[in-house]
């Protein structure tokens, strides 16, 4: 038999999985296939391939995880408390993580469970390690999902954070272990977070008694991470066991291509993304669901919110400290006032504040008022004038709408329309023109509409 580690580097998943099946030497597969954890075992057991059943790691009738010994005590009682933490990164044109969109999509998918009182969901407006530390110390969480960048250097695995001034902050497994307390399940949705190198991210978390850890064997692409996280959260909110939820998430990761893409055009790594999630578990039951829920009546934002991180973080900080209690967001029509107000409201509601949309004489300590206007300011209100979005955020919005424009056209649209989102929605209703003359004609039509709107 060839050396397994060399074989893994040079052969496809089916060949690797077939060889691993020979190594197991089983007559039959139990519905719950458990691989005993070994700190030096870096083999891709999630690729296990059965001659008749195919890949066990994505077969709907089976689950597959690596068993760890952990004395975790009693299973906590619900509601399920989920923290989705996206690592802060300085925006770069080359890197499109769309991390702010990810949190909104997960929240929207979980809204029925949130309103039923079965799930509490929180996603902070910044992704600094200091914020993660504070959240872990101040509250108990059942499911903590960390999304962002990871790397391995000199046999040491890291999560790549940035601090408030943009300096890179490499966080090790030992750093994570120091802040995690009473977390039932930790998900590291970052590149290579599940690799068992000498100084890995997994072992320190095992040592502090975390009973379920999910890491990624290789580089995780953005679209795969988003599908994995959303599918995992929905299945867990549906009261599935963690191993069942991971299996469903692997299955969902087999469908990553957009309608206009085909396998031949896609990077080969896309095909293998489903096999990356590794579940290390001592008991895949997440919580005790036998409790009395408290129902709410929250609603999802009417539109997706992209960017505005500086404005969001600045205003949230002042609203939380009480420096601002009455906020008026002003700006021209279509610039994003309502979307920013909705996002601020979501963040404040997560923190236990009550947000009002009309003035009251006596404002309770935990109440905040947020209004929007195209006109002059109001007495006793903090007047915040919203200018056009930066080009990076605007281009992400264009990409999100999937309009088919490339950089030269997006730059021209940004300059002509002043980064106005409502004007882009009108442009969206017109046929896509990539040639300069056709695009300029369309932009003139939209500009006339925009001028009429601004006169109102």
């Amino acid at each position: 038999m060839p050396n397994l580690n060399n074989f893994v580097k040079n052969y496809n998943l089916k060949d690797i999985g077939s060889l691993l099946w020979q190594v197991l030497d089983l007559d039959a597969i139990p519905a719950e296939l458990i691989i005993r954890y070994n700190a030096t075992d870096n083999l891709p057991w999630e690729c296990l391939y059965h001659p008749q059943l195919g890949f066990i790691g994505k077969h709907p009738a089976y689950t597959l995880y690596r068993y760890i010994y952990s004395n975790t005590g009693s299973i906590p009682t619900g509601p399920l408390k989920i923290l989705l933490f996206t690592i802060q990164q300085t925006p770069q044109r080359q890197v499109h993580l769309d991390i702010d969109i990810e949190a909104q999509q997960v929240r929207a998918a979980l809204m029925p469970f949130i309103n039923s009182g079965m799930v509490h969901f929180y996603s902070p407006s910044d992704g600094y390690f200091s914020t993660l530390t504070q959240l872990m110390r101040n509250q108990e969480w059942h499911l903590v999902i960390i999304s962002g960048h990871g790397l391995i250097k000199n046999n040491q695995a890291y999560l790549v954070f940035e601090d408030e001034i943009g300096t890179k902050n490499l966080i090790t497994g030992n750093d994570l272990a120091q802040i995690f307390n009473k977390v039932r399940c930790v998900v590291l949705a970052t590149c290579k977070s599940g690799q068992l190198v000498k100084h890995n991210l997994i072992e320190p978390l095992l040592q502090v008694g975390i009973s379920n850890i999910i890491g990624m064997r290789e580089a995780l692409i953005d679209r795969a991470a988003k599908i994995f996280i959303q599918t995992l959260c929905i299945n867990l909110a549906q009261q599935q066991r963690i191993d069942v939820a991971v299996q469903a998430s692997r299955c969902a990761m087999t469908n990553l291509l957009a309608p206009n893409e085909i396998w031949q055009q896609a990077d080969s790594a896309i095909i293998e993304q489903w096999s990356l999630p590794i579940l290390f578990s001592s008991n895949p039951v997440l919580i005790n669901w036998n409790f009395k829920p408290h129902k709410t009546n929250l609603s999802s934002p009417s539109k997706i919110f992209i960017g505005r991180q500086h404005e969001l973080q600045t205003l949230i900080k002042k609203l939380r400290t009480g420096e601002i209690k009455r906020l008026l967001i002003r700006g021209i029509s279509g610039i994003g006032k309502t979307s920013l107000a909705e996002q601020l409201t979501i963040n404040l509601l997560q923190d236990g504040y009550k947000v009002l949309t009309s003035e009251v004489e006596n404002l309770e300590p935990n109440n905040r008022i947020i209004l929007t206007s195209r006109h002059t300011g109001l007495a006793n209100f903090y007047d915040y004038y919203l200018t056009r979005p930066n080009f990076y955020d605007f281009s992400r919005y264009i990409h999100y709408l999937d309009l088919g424009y490339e950089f030269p056209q997006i730059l021209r649209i940004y300059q002509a329309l002043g980064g106005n989102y409502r004007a882009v929605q009108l442009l969206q209703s017109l046929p896509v023109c990539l040639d300069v003359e056709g695009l300029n004609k369309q932009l003139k039509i939209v500009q006339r509409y925009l001028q009429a709107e601004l006169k109102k």
Side-chain angles (χ1 to χ4, degrees), residues 73 79 151 193 204 209 309-310 370 401:
L151 61 84
S193 55
Q309 290 302 300
H310 173 73
I370 301 178
L401 295 177

Side-chain angles (χ1 to χ4, degrees), residues 358-417:
S358 60
E359 173 64 305
V360 294
E361 290 187 6
N362 296 315
L363 194 62
E364 297 293 328
N366 224 32
N367 290 359
R368 300 291 183 266
I369 301 175
I370 301 178
L371 305 179
T372 64
S373 174
R374 287 183 280 175
H375 307 295
T376 56
L378 297 173
N380 300 323
F381 273 76
Y382 184 93
D383 191 5
Y384 191 89
Y385 189 81
L386 192 62
T387 59
R388 72 179 185 177
N390 61 48
F391 176 70
Y392 173 77
D393 289 341
F394 184 80
S395 64
R396 288 179 59 221
Y397 180 69
I398 296 288
H399 284 298
Y400 173 76
L401 295 177
D402 196 23
L403 298 183
Y405 294 113
E406 297 183 2
F407 177 79
Q409 291 84 24
I410 297 175
L411 181 60
R412 176 72 185 112
I413 294 169
Y414 179 74
Q415 293 169 337
L417 303 182

